[in-house]
Amino acid sequence: MAIGKLLFILSYLCVGIWGIFLLPFKNTALLSKDLEASKTPTALAQSRPSKWVYRLIILLGCVAFTIIPWHFVLLSLALSFFASRLCSPLYRHQMGFGVFLGLIMSSFIPWWMHNDVNRLKLDLVQSLIPISISGLFLYLYSKQFLAKVSSASWRIPLYMGFGLAVVFLTFTAGLSLHTQSINQWHHWGAYIGPAQLIAQGVIPFNEIPLQYGLGPTLLISAGCQWDCWNSLYWISGGFTITMTLLLAYIALVLNSQKNFLREFFVLAIVLLTCIIWTALPMALESVTSMPSTSGMRFFPGVLMAALLMRVVNQQQSGLNTSSAPYGWQYLPQNILWVLSFYYSPEAGIQTSVLWFGYCLLMQIRNADLPIRSILLVCLRLLPIFSAGLIIFSAGFLLAWGQWPNVPGYLTYILHPPGPLPVNQNGCIWFAVMVLILFFIWSKKSKLALQQPLEFSLWIIFLLCYANFTYFLGRSADNNILNLLPYFAVLLIGLESQFTQGMSKTIAGILLASIFAWLPIMGWGNYWRAIQAGDFFSLSPATLTQTYNRTNPISENYFRNQQEFADRKELGSAVMLIRNQYHEPLEIVDRFNLLEASSSDSAWDGLHGPANFFYVPSILRQQYLENVQQRFKRPGWILINANMKEAKEYLDDYRAVYREDIKLNFGTYQAIRFVPTP
């Protein structure tokens, strides 16, 4: 591991120690000083920032000229000056500096606009558009427009319109017909490969690992009796819609201003971050294209946050919070916490951060000493977790006749797919700025997490922290955009808590950036789908028919002449094997695609190839051996001989199977493997 990545992980752990352990103790210590003053909700007032803050921003502005186009920086300065002139003299400097810093930080979001030397590349118009939109949004978001309209007259149509938009924009399978949808083909195959093995009787964890967890894999495998690809489409879409609605509920609770325009913007922010920003902005596809970036992955943590916020909002009615985690009122949280470990290891981590943090704060309020509080919470949660583990293990034994294998459960935790270094000029700075705003809020807040809004804001911070493990394992810039829904909801709460000043302005500009950078996204795919009349296609059947190398339409998904030639060679090989030998096959190349043909049954433990390249060879051989013993089937490997991992991958098969027939198809080799006695 590189030293930079190691320091990044250590920094992440320090933030967790502060947010989960130190911050609750600090805020509860303030409680004894003036409890009664905290019983009426008030916005968080700001003191004037220190002079070093202004100096730091000026220095940042000078540095920005080296990595951000000069016209973007100058336009940011112009908007900052104009906004400060419209502000009251008391907050004029804070407004100006806040707008400038917010715009600079927001410029790190469009990572796809960076050039080959990692510098933001924008022309004058591309700079003018986001800055203009940011200024307009900041003005409208801070005003009380339409505040006198009766709530009954606008809330129902607003909420219904939001719900319909979420459903229609989620189930846009036809959109992917008009993209180079290698991404969707690859990501769907990574889910469906293990699900097909489970559907055919392979024991999860004991015989193969599950990259995305037992919950999603079992759900998809249950649908394999109809069609695995269709079942993934509906399951992924259903999870994404439900998670988006939960985040909308959370955002509306955190929003302190209840007027039409404000709630319209809040719902629009949730819609855009959950449906548009998570769908690869450089070449927009359907949000279901990559199930691992939305509801299928993050739903358990969001549900835990919503359940905890519901409990927090009931505190004013006299709910006994000191009984956590025991008590019937906490039964849903305990059930979700235990089930999340069965859903996936990542979901278990996410819900544990939230549930442990909440229980610890409740224990701290009993005036226990810090170490004693932590130990008591661990001791109270341990029997609940142990009972859940026993029940799960017993159920696993009844279902598959074996006890679950712990190393198999942890395979992808120990060997994360595609680890990457952190881009020092990338989206990470947006996340850092949100963290800084939360830190400022925590330092200036004197209400000791007593009010429901403040308590809820802390819970959403824990949600952001827990979900950030996704970026920690694979630090691609776009993974920050996949986490944008949770950061955006936290920003909505922070902006509501701050009064006029620099922090409120920065939070508003960061929220504005969600709208401001929309025009430079890859909307061409949307226009092509709309013109073809396929945009609102609610069935993936046509889409998955193209996920077959023998289908000429699949040529639309490849980019250059070599890829076209490879597809034709593969098509010839696939047709020969199917027609002459009637046996299943795996295709192994840099795309890691799984054929969406129902005629091919899984025959080996590395079905499909996308899940196993980052797993050590000795483990891959063990999975091959396990499935060989279960199926005893021969099969074919179609592999690109020029791929650097080709030899290592074939060596795994040769260690378990006997090589029988070898055929050449251009750059691809077709090899038949048969089980050893």
Side-chain angles (χ1 to χ4, degrees):
M1 180 183 297
I3 186 67
K5 189 67 175 283
L6 179 60
L7 292 175
F8 181 71
I9 293 174
L10 292 176
S11 300
Y12 172 81
L13 295 175
C14 290
V15 171
I17 293 171
W18 169 77
I20 299 172
F21 299 98
L22 302 182
L23 179 58
F25 282 110
K26 168 257 181 184
N27 276 344
T28 306
L30 295 172
L31 184 61
S32 59
K33 195 171 183 179
D34 191 4
L35 179 61
E36 290 302 318
S38 69
K39 292 188 176 180
T40 56
T42 58
L44 176 61
Q46 288 186 256
S47 59
R48 185 176 296 275
S50 303
K51 290 183 178 180
W52 69 266
V53 175
Y54 296 119
R55 293 168 182 165
L56 181 62
I57 295 173
I58 292 172
L59 177 62
L60 177 63
C62 296
V63 174
F65 276 102
T66 66
I67 60 176
I68 301 171
W70 62 267
H71 40 75
F72 184 91
V73 180
L74 291 180
L75 288 171
S76 299
L77 288 170
L79 180 61
S80 304
F81 177 79
F82 181 72
S84 67
R85 294 298 96 186
L86 297 178
C87 184
S88 65
L90 180 62
Y91 295 104
R92 184 162 291 170
H93 289 89
Q94 296 185 49
M95 170 65 76
F97 279 93
V99 168
F100 179 72
L101 181 58
L103 289 171
I104 294 301
M105 285 299 177
S106 74
S107 71
F108 290 102
I109 295 181
W111 62 268
W112 64 94
M113 299 297 293
H114 285 198
N115 59 24
D116 54 358
V117 291
N118 203 15
R119 300 294 186 266
L120 185 63
K121 185 178 181 180
L122 298 172
D123 58 34
L124 181 59
V125 174
Q126 289 173 328
S127 296
L128 182 61
I129 290 175
I131 290 176
S132 301
I133 294 175
S134 296
L136 179 62
F137 173 89
L138 187 64
Y139 175 74
L140 295 176
Y141 196 68
S142 61
K143 299 299 180 181
Q144 291 285 341
F145 293 131
L146 304 180
K148 297 181 180 179
V149 180
S150 171
S151 61
S153 65
W154 59 262
R155 275 209 169 93
I156 293 177
L158 177 62
Y159 296 168
M160 289 183 62
F162 170 77
L164 289 174
V166 171
V167 172
F168 277 108
L169 290 176
T170 298
F171 290 122
T172 52
L175 176 63
S176 297
L177 288 170
H178 302 275
T179 68
Q180 294 172 327
S181 197
I182 290 293
N183 285 318
Q184 182 162 348
W185 191 346
H186 167 88
H187 279 78
W188 280 26
Y191 271 94
I192 289 169
Q196 288 179 336
L197 286 170
I198 300 300
Q200 294 188 46
V202 172
I203 300 176
F205 305 135
N206 292 19
E207 294 181 342
I208 61 167
L210 302 178
Q211 180 175 340
Y212 297 109
L214 182 62
T217 308
L218 284 182
L219 287 171
I220 298 166
S221 67
C224 284
Q225 57 182 311
W226 298 286
D227 180 75
C228 296
W229 299 81
N230 279 275
S231 68
L232 173 58
Y233 167 76
W234 293 108
I235 292 168
S236 174
F239 269 92
T240 298
I241 290 170
T242 307
M243 188 191 76
T244 304
L245 295 178
L246 281 175
L247 284 174
Y249 157 75
I250 292 171
L252 290 172
V253 169
L254 294 178
N255 173 45
S256 61
Q257 297 182 29
K258 310 298 182 183
N259 62 72
F260 172 79
L261 194 63
R262 181 80 169 202
E263 293 203 4
F264 172 82
F265 276 130
V266 167
L267 293 178
I269 289 168
V270 173
L271 176 69
L272 291 172
T273 53
C274 290
I275 306 299
I276 304 299
W277 279 95
T278 59
L280 199 62
M282 61 189 298
L284 284 170
E285 299 179 353
S286 168
V287 68
T288 58
S289 294
M290 290 170 275
S292 62
T293 64
S294 56
M296 288 280 282
R297 192 179 212 119
F298 298 108
F299 174 75
V302 174
L303 180 58
M304 177 64 83
L307 290 175
L308 292 178
M309 285 181 60
R310 179 176 175 272
V311 172
V312 168
N313 287 313
Q314 290 176 340
Q315 290 180 9
Q316 291 180 327
S317 61
L319 181 67
N320 179 17
T321 59
S322 63
S323 61
Y326 300 129
W328 289 108
Q329 68 268 32
Y330 292 113
L331 183 60
Q333 287 84 352
N334 282 312
I335 292 176
L336 174 61
W337 178 54
V338 172
L339 289 179
S340 64
F341 283 95
Y342 313 149
Y343 185 83
S344 72
E346 195 171 29
I349 294 172
Q350 293 163 4
T351 57
S352 294
V353 169
L354 289 157
W355 188 218
F356 178 85
Y358 177 88
C359 293
L360 179 60
L361 182 56
M362 294 301 99
Q363 187 63 44
I364 292 170
R365 288 186 175 172
N366 292 334
D368 281 330
L369 296 174
I371 299 300
R372 186 172 185 271
S373 296
I374 295 171
L375 291 176
L376 282 174
V377 171
C378 292
L379 290 174
R380 288 178 176 178
L381 289 174
L382 182 60
I384 298 172
F385 180 79
S386 300
L389 183 62
I390 292 171
I391 294 171
F392 169 74
S393 299
F396 196 96
L397 181 64
L398 289 174
W400 287 289
Q402 299 179 18
W403 296 105
N405 181 274
V406 175
Y409 178 86
L410 297 175
T411 294
Y412 289 103
I413 295 291
L414 300 175
H415 309 285
L420 293 172
V422 179
N423 177 15
Q424 71 273 14
N425 291 348
C427 302
I428 184 62
W429 291 109
F430 184 92
V432 169
M433 192 68 247
V434 177
L435 172 63
I436 291 172
L437 290 175
F438 182 81
F439 179 78
I440 293 172
W441 170 83
S442 70
K443 294 293 288 184
K444 295 183 180 298
S445 175
K446 303 297 182 184
L447 302 183
L449 302 181
Q450 283 296 296
Q451 293 301 319
L453 281 177
E454 292 189 325
F455 203 154
S456 298
L457 195 57
W458 178 69
I459 288 173
I460 300 307
F461 165 75
L462 294 186
L463 175 66
C464 292
Y465 179 79
N467 289 352
F468 200 75
T469 55
Y470 176 58
F471 181 80
L472 205 67
R474 191 173 190 275
S475 303
D477 277 333
N478 200 67
N479 288 358
I480 291 285
L481 303 188
N482 301 144
L483 301 174
L484 201 56
Y486 322 108
F487 289 118
V489 170
L490 181 59
L491 280 170
I492 289 170
L494 288 171
E495 197 277 343
S496 295
Q497 288 285 301
F498 289 122
T499 56
Q500 293 186 64
M502 186 181 297
S503 296
K504 186 179 184 70
T505 303
I506 294 172
I509 290 292
L510 293 183
L511 288 173
S513 66
I514 294 169
F515 297 88
W517 294 101
L518 290 177
I520 66 170
M521 288 184 176
W523 293 100
N525 293 330
Y526 270 62
W527 308 141
R528 282 188 286 272
I530 291 171
Q531 290 172 354
D534 295 325
F535 185 76
F536 287 123
S537 172
L538 297 180
S539 171
T542 305
L543 178 66
T544 57
Q545 287 173 8
T546 65
Y547 290 167
N548 189 329
R549 301 289 185 110
T550 62
N551 189 338
I553 299 177
S554 68
E555 190 169 292
N556 296 331
Y557 299 141
F558 300 97
R559 293 182 173 87
N560 56 49
Q561 294 300 318
Q562 182 58 51
E563 292 173 359
F564 297 157
D566 288 347
R567 191 208 66 78
K568 292 178 181 178
E569 291 171 354
L570 278 171
S572 301
V574 170
M575 293 300 296
L576 184 147
I577 292 169
R578 287 177 179 170
N579 295 334
Q580 184 170 335
Y581 295 93
H582 308 287
E583 291 177 341
L585 56 88
E586 301 282 358
I587 299 175
V588 183
D589 55 21
R590 72 183 185 89
F591 297 115
N592 297 331
L593 304 176
L594 185 69
E595 295 286 283
S597 173
S598 58
S599 62
D600 291 339
S601 58
W603 67 279
D604 66 303
L606 305 187
H607 177 78
N611 299 78
F612 301 102
F613 272 106
Y614 295 98
V615 176
S617 176
I618 190 167
L619 293 179
R620 295 201 300 260
Q621 292 179 21
Q622 183 60 56
Y623 308 147
L624 286 169
E625 178 63 30
N626 294 339
V627 176
Q628 183 210 211
Q629 294 299 322
R630 176 164 294 277
F631 288 161
K632 295 291 185 181
R633 295 175 186 166
W636 291 77
I637 295 294
L638 272 171
I639 191 166
N640 190 321
N642 296 330
M643 189 175 65
K644 66 178 181 178
E645 300 91 352
K647 182 180 184 304
E648 182 181 2
Y649 207 74
L650 289 175
D651 286 344
D652 294 334
Y653 280 88
R654 289 165 178 152
V656 177
Y657 291 88
R658 178 173 59 85
E659 188 174 328
D660 183 34
I661 301 173
K662 187 174 182 179
L663 305 173
N664 290 319
F665 296 88
T667 57
Y668 284 79
Q669 291 181 344
I671 303 175
R672 183 175 187 262
F673 289 98
V674 297
T676 55

